[in-house]
Amino acid sequence: MIRKPDTDDRNYRFITLENKLDVLLIEDKKSEKASAALDVHVGHLNDPVGIDGLAHFCEHLLFMGTEKYPTENDYNDYLSKHSGYSNAYTSAEHTNYYFSVGSDFLEGALDRFAQFFISPLFSEGSTERELNAVDSEHKKNLQSDGWRMHQLDKDLSNPSHPYTKFGTGNIETLKENPAKLGIDVRSELLKFHDMYYSSNIMKLVILGKEPLDTLEEWAVSKFTNVANKNIPIPSSLFTGHPLSENELGKFIFVKPVKDLRRLDLTWKFPDTGADEYKLTKPSRYLSHLIGHESEGSILSYLKKNGWAVSLSGGDARGGINFGFFKVSINLTEEGEAHYEDIIVSVFRYIKMMSNVGVQEWVFKECQSLAELDFRFAEKVEPASTCSRLAAQLHHYRGENVLSGVYLIEKFDPQQIRLVDIHIAMIQINGRLFSDFLKHLSVTNFRVMFSSQEFEKLGIATEGEWLKARFYGTEYKVADFSDSLKKRLNSLTLANDFHLPLKNDFIPERFDVRKLDTQSPFVDATMVEDSPLMRVWYRKDDTFYTPKVYIYLKLSSPLVYATPANSVKSNLYIELVKDSLNEFSYMAEVAGLYYSLSDDTNGFQLVVGGYNDKISVLLQKFVEKMKTLVIDENRFKYIKEQLIRNYKNINMEAPNSLALYYGSALLQEKMWTYDDKRAEIDAISNEDVQSFFPTIIKQLFAEGLVYGNVEAEDAVKLMKIVENTFNSTSLPISARGQFVRTHLIPQGQTYAVNLEVPNPDNLNSAIEYYIQIGDSTDISLRCLTTLFKQIASEPCFDQLRTKEQLGYLVHSGTRINTRVIGYRVIIQSERNPTYLESRIEDFLKNMKQTIINLTELEFDKHKQSVIIRLLEKDKNLWDASQRLWSHISSKYCFFNQHLVDSEYIKTITKEAVLEFYEKFIDPKESNGRRMIVNMRRNGTEIERVSKNGRIEIDSVEQIFEAKSGLLLGKGPKMVDIKKDLVSKL
């Protein structure tokens, strides 16, 4: 019997086919979506020598047609017409393929999916085009510090270990270099697939609404023909570790793209996924303590010294037979100069752990938290479930297939203990042990230090800066200094470090009152409406988990009134969270969640998790918001971090910047990060200390309480906020202020032409936006949604698959306040002017695409939209987000999905064609368009000569242009009578 979470109503069956393919079948009668995933236990560690990226390339090409379904886009076309999508990823040891589809169409999708592993075509035409897609994917990551540092870590590992391989691949490794060596990459691709795509190292998961017997029949009939080559797991044949003695005891100094200050300590570690650790999970104990943030922790100490902003720690599985343990610390400017002190501090904490020994109460706390995570694990989107479980099946089978990754079944201190920080062997109670913590020794690690300030600090001054091969990352490698080694070899205990206190936030009550209802509510009920506060409430009648989510919007026009006010609000939020960190971390560990943010209308606080102790967290949080006393030093470090965040925006990807500047034009009020940078230097801690009381003094609060809580208790929770703040009422005229949307005049195109600020980014980007109209108009809203559905697959197939304009190609809706539009986004090495022409050519061809739709095909598109609209919330969080989106937007149109799904049924093809001709057709002279062109450094935009086109060539001109635009309407205000809740 497979162990399930308490709230899991699915049925499971584990089978093994004749070809040794393990299959997990999941019957979910309530799911509107079906899914499957197949994980092959081979990844880029097994790329052939000289052809880095081949496993990833194979993943790309597998979707490009099969003998049974030879049309290149047949699979994606089928999924798109039935509310579905597909995706895949390649990692060091795994290649994972998955899809989602409407629940009535699983069998057809499964049949197509199975053929990828039986008879893929790998056609020559597709091979050439997908080479460009892989190269484009790599180039989009070239300026990503995460990708750069990860590959550099690999590059500087043991050269005899396959961990050093470049897993993504690019034109150089998959075309140019092989060609020089006379290697036919397509032939190598076929060999790779033939050698490693064997059913005995594959795991399959299928989720559908059909009975388990039907799902089993499909699995057997469709996947038994996947060839079984009886091969061992390929990566299991590798020996050794990526970190040998030659790589340990080293500093890797790195110059990042963004203004980052970070220390990454990496220890050589065993494979924590090995069978001997599955029941005990000893690394969980280490991660729990080293990554802790309460009083007595490493982070607490570093923050008190003004050296760090945040810390994370834990094991990082590398592959079969090897792993890593990592501690990552984001530093303050002062912390950079104390980087060796910080390293010593980490080891002093480890020495404290060694000195106090393995504590069974800490283990039991970890065990209890793991059990809670499993007992009340909630459903997620089916494709995510299948993808995760397919990979998990390689490690856990039988009754533990779901629980194995969560539960800690056995206490084994011998596997946890650190005997001596120098890996000495010691006898205790007659037993010899030297296990997990021994690996966290002073001779068994290396450090990556990322900063843009090495020259200023006088650090890493010797030797020349080198450039990494694939990403161009600048770096130096140096041995640990003699002074650091001396300090590490003479560590002393410090009173600053001690184990955390027992966690009082761990819940003890899990009772849930179920409602006698056959049809769950779709809305929330207003249970309080006063000049100070409006409270919405809904008792969970679907998931029956002992959790609750509390949303609170604190409206004040002062928060975003000026750029300076916006900066003060940003600082205030970070200071509140920072001051509560040691307290709130305990709550987070125990399954509680919180966030505090700001927007154009005020502050938003969200608190959620197990309902047993949630009032304690809420009370503490709002008290701190009211009574915060700003520490001058913490203000200094947080301000410094915020300045870096503002600065780093310019290093974002071009497609992100295109959306950002598009919002700057469309949004009524938007302070840019440059506006904020101009203000922040002059803002003092006294300015913030005097600012936030003026917000709290007069505001209007609107909240939602949803979950395992009664109506009267929901009101009590919100009264905590009202009584703590003791605010006066905000005038009615100020409560509903919303940033509205600028309306583009008919027949005009606003073309924003800006240069990508990062001179090293090879990509340009475009957002091509067509403004449609009022989003509360059901006809416009539904027609836009249906057109998006019809155009989605043809857009991707034409612009991404066939024309290979770039790896990132997206089409969909853009919804601003009361305005809906349609857009296409591309990031590419091509000039934005060319991208614009290709988008317009695609849009011109969409007319014929619509005309050519058969009645059956058109109905499939409508059904696909309806399935998406009617898709039920997967868990309490999703449901709370949906309810809050309606409340916070002021529309409160809780049953919009039901209304829209009925309207979609009435739409004819002629109506869509008329909609296209009026709004979408590039030939339509009355169209309303915005085109944001982010061109890469050193290139120019070729002007497009069209009537009604207005060129905008600077950020200043964006604000000049929008000053002359009319504004759309604000959201419709709530007009709902307070309902009685006695029926609940």
Side-chain angles (χ1 to χ4, degrees), residues 420-487:
D420 181 87
I421 224 159
H422 305 284
I423 322 185
M425 302 292 281
I426 298 177
Q427 291 281 348
I428 294 183
N429 295 329
R431 295 175 63 187
L432 180 69
F433 60 86
S434 177
D435 289 282
F436 258 50
L437 271 172
K438 80 176 184 184
H439 297 283
L440 301 185
S441 78
V442 298
T443 59
N444 201 42
F445 80 112
R446 69 178 180 181
V447 177
M448 184 177 285
F449 184 5
S450 308
S451 173
Q452 293 183 344
E453 305 290 340
F454 289 127
E455 286 82 359
K456 177 181 174 182
L457 295 166
I459 298 171
T461 55
E462 296 182 5
E464 296 296 320
W465 288 94
L466 305 175
K467 278 198 174 184
R469 174 183 173 189
F470 295 112
Y471 288 86
T473 311
E474 289 190 81
Y475 72 96
K476 286 183 181 180
V477 178
D479 291 331
F480 288 166
S481 67
D482 291 338
S483 61
L484 175 61
K485 287 188 281 189
K486 182 177 180 180
R487 293 175 68 187

Side-chain angles (χ1 to χ4, degrees), residues 622-634:
V622 294
E623 283 177 357
K624 182 59 68 175
M625 290 180 70
K626 175 75 179 287
T627 63
L628 175 69
V629 176
I630 299 173
D631 178 89
E632 187 174 350
N633 285 326
R634 294 311 301 163

Side-chain angles (χ1 to χ4, degrees), residues 534 555-557 600-601 668 700 702 730-740 817 888-890 969-974:
R534 181 180 294 142
S555 295
S556 169
T600 57
N601 198 37
E668 178 183 9
F700 179 74
E702 184 162 25
L730 194 69
I732 293 175
S733 60
R735 293 181 198 172
Q737 290 186 356
F738 260 74
V739 171
R740 294 170 292 172
T817 304
S888 61
S889 68
K890 302 297 183 184
K969 298 177 182 179
K972 291 181 178 179
M973 297 300 291
V974 174

Side-chain angles (χ1 to χ4, degrees), residues 609-624:
Y610 296 105
N611 52 272
D612 185 25
K613 309 282 179 74
I614 201 153
S615 61
V616 180
L617 180 60
L618 178 64
Q619 178 81 57
K620 188 75 172 181
F621 217 102
V622 294
E623 283 177 357
K624 182 59 68 175

Side-chain angles (χ1 to χ4, degrees), residues 772-774 777-785 820 903 915 919:
I772 305 298
D774 191 338
D777 182 319
I778 188 170
S779 175
L780 288 182
R781 185 173 67 243
C782 290
L783 282 164
T784 305
T785 303
I820 191 169
Y903 190 88
F915 168 84
F919 294 105

Side-chain angles (χ1 to χ4, degrees), residues 833-849:
T833 306
Y834 179 75
L835 300 179
E836 180 182 339
S837 70
R838 301 315 306 142
I839 291 170
E840 294 207 334
D841 191 63
F842 157 72
L843 292 174
K844 288 174 188 174
N845 293 333
M846 273 306 301
K847 180 175 183 178
Q848 195 60 46
T849 300

Side-chain angles (χ1 to χ4, degrees), residues 553-573:
K553 184 61 174 287
L554 305 171
S555 295
S556 169
L558 295 178
V559 169
Y560 203 71
T562 65
N565 277 18
S566 182
V567 173
K568 291 174 192 174
S569 297
N570 294 163
L571 287 165
Y572 168 66
I573 285 169

